Amino acid sequence: MSEESERKTLAPPKMTSEADAHTPVEMLRLAEQAGIAKAHLSWLDLIIKSFLGGVFISLGAAFDLVVAGGSPGLRASNPAIATLLGAFVFPIGFVIIMLFNVELCTSNMFVMAYSTLRRRTTIYDLLRNWIVSYIFNIAGCLFYAGVLCYWADTLSSSAQKDYASTQASGRVNVNWGYNVTRGIMCNWLVGIAFMFFTEGRDLLSKIVGIWIAIWTFVALGYQHSIANYLLVPIGMFYGTEFGVGKFIWASCIPVTIGNIIGGAFFGAFAMWTVYGRHELSVKELNRQESYADRV
């Protein structure tokens, strides 16, 4: 081996300051393609994927209840640490949803809104996806709450059952407007979780990105309309002072409104304003290609 080739072999690799991730513009183009793919799902695929999305998000929410509810001493002595630990396990459901590519209405509030603003999907596509995924996310959550949590006795200790009831009351017996605003920041962060996931190129980066955003919204007490269909009914199973009507009025409606505002306006519309509206539309791209072909 010559001296020059030996130096090349022994030379350390060049370091680069560029992050191994998609840029925001590239990420939004991928989000746009995701919206198109969701619009083309068959009814059966959309229904099944949405049911699975409800089951998986319930998995993470139930994990949170087991950890936080099973630590009454820690909650009494250091509630911040107990909240932090419970919130830390919650994102497992979101990770499964994103990696399995199943449907979650709240993340679709960002994705479908963005692709519709880009005129790649229609209002019909958006409403179809939102309504069907919302309904069957609820079905998945209630299935998990009744069959895989309550009947399976997942919350086996009295402390966990009491905590399930207490946290459910805290989500319902609260000012209506508070739940709207808590829903806004929750789904803003869910949209950010989707963006982090899409920006990452490797599996670990995608998982860490999801975990950071979801851990944050859960620890801060923001409200997720779909997860609440596990967290509130399971508390009702163990005894609460309110019924289904109050749950719908005081929690489901305001939190869902807040989630739509957070995902579609603060998430999708904000990103479209900053990046998407400067991107060429499909018609403009076709016009440019036609002109290039003629030239």
Side-chain angles (χ1 to χ4, degrees):
M1 181 183 292
S2 66
E3 184 177 348
E4 183 179 354
S5 61
E6 186 176 358
R7 283 199 305 270
K8 289 181 180 179
T9 303
L10 297 175
K14 292 183 178 179
M15 301 300 291
T16 177
S17 59
E18 295 181 3
D20 186 20
H22 293 289
T23 66
V25 172
E26 292 171 338
M27 175 273 297
L28 289 169
R29 289 173 183 161
L30 292 171
E32 185 179 318
Q33 293 301 314
I36 296 169
K38 291 175 184 295
H40 289 140
L41 285 173
S42 69
W43 286 95
L44 182 60
D45 285 351
L46 179 57
I47 288 169
I48 294 174
K49 284 189 168 189
S50 299
F51 180 83
L52 292 174
V55 170
F56 292 142
I57 194 173
S58 298
L59 176 69
F63 200 173
D64 183 344
L65 292 180
V66 168
V67 173
S71 309
L74 183 61
R75 283 190 283 113
S77 63
N78 201 329
I81 297 298
T83 299
L84 196 67
L85 291 175
F88 179 75
V89 301
F90 191 105
I92 181 63
F94 282 84
V95 170
I96 296 172
I97 286 168
M98 297 303 294
L99 294 183
F100 283 11
N101 192 28
V102 295
E103 297 296 300
L104 182 64
C105 183
T106 48
S107 61
N108 290 349
M109 289 172 183
F110 167 78
V111 176
M112 294 304 299
Y114 184 77
S115 63
T116 302
L117 285 167
R118 287 282 298 145
R119 299 184 180 180
R120 302 302 303 277
T121 53
T122 65
I123 295 295
Y124 169 78
D125 295 328
L126 178 146
L127 292 176
R128 171 182 178 266
N129 181 277
W130 284 8
I131 293 170
V132 175
S133 63
Y134 189 85
I135 291 171
F136 286 93
N137 280 166
I138 293 172
C141 288
L142 295 179
F143 170 77
Y144 191 99
V147 177
L148 302 178
C149 193
Y150 181 70
W151 288 344
D153 199 29
T154 301
L155 306 179
S156 55
S157 71
S158 58
Q160 290 169 330
K161 294 171 183 177
D162 291 342
Y163 177 74
S165 178
T166 300
Q167 62 82 33
S169 296
R171 295 173 187 277
V172 175
N173 294 323
V174 66
N175 182 283
W176 204 89
Y178 290 172
N179 269 345
V180 173
T181 53
R182 289 173 182 176
I184 290 173
M185 194 66 239
C186 164
N187 218 30
W188 196 348
L189 282 163
V190 170
I192 290 171
F194 178 89
M195 288 186 270
F196 282 167
F197 172 83
T198 309
E199 281 189 334
R201 292 181 184 272
D202 63 277
L203 185 61
L204 180 60
S205 298
K206 290 176 178 292
I207 292 174
V208 171
I210 295 171
W211 220 281
I212 290 170
I214 303 304
W215 188 10
T216 301
F217 100 66
V218 178
L220 289 172
Y222 295 126
Q223 298 291 302
H224 189 275
S225 57
I226 304 302
N228 281 355
Y229 285 103
L230 175 282
L231 294 166
V232 176
I234 195 65
M236 295 172 71
F237 291 158
Y238 292 114
T240 55
E241 73 283 8
F242 59 85
V244 174
K246 187 172 183 181
F247 168 44
I248 293 172
W249 168 250
S251 176
C252 301
I253 294 174
V255 173
T256 301
I257 291 171
N259 284 171
I260 292 172
I261 296 170
F265 181 77
F266 287 103
F269 181 75
M271 290 296 99
W272 176 83
T273 301
V274 174
Y275 298 110
R277 67 190 180 95
H278 303 297
E279 289 273 290
L280 292 177
S281 67
V282 176
K283 289 182 179 179
E284 289 170 330
L285 286 170
N286 291 337
R287 193 179 302 121
Q288 284 190 358
E289 291 174 359
S290 299
Y291 177 77
D293 291 339
R294 288 197 303 272
V295 172

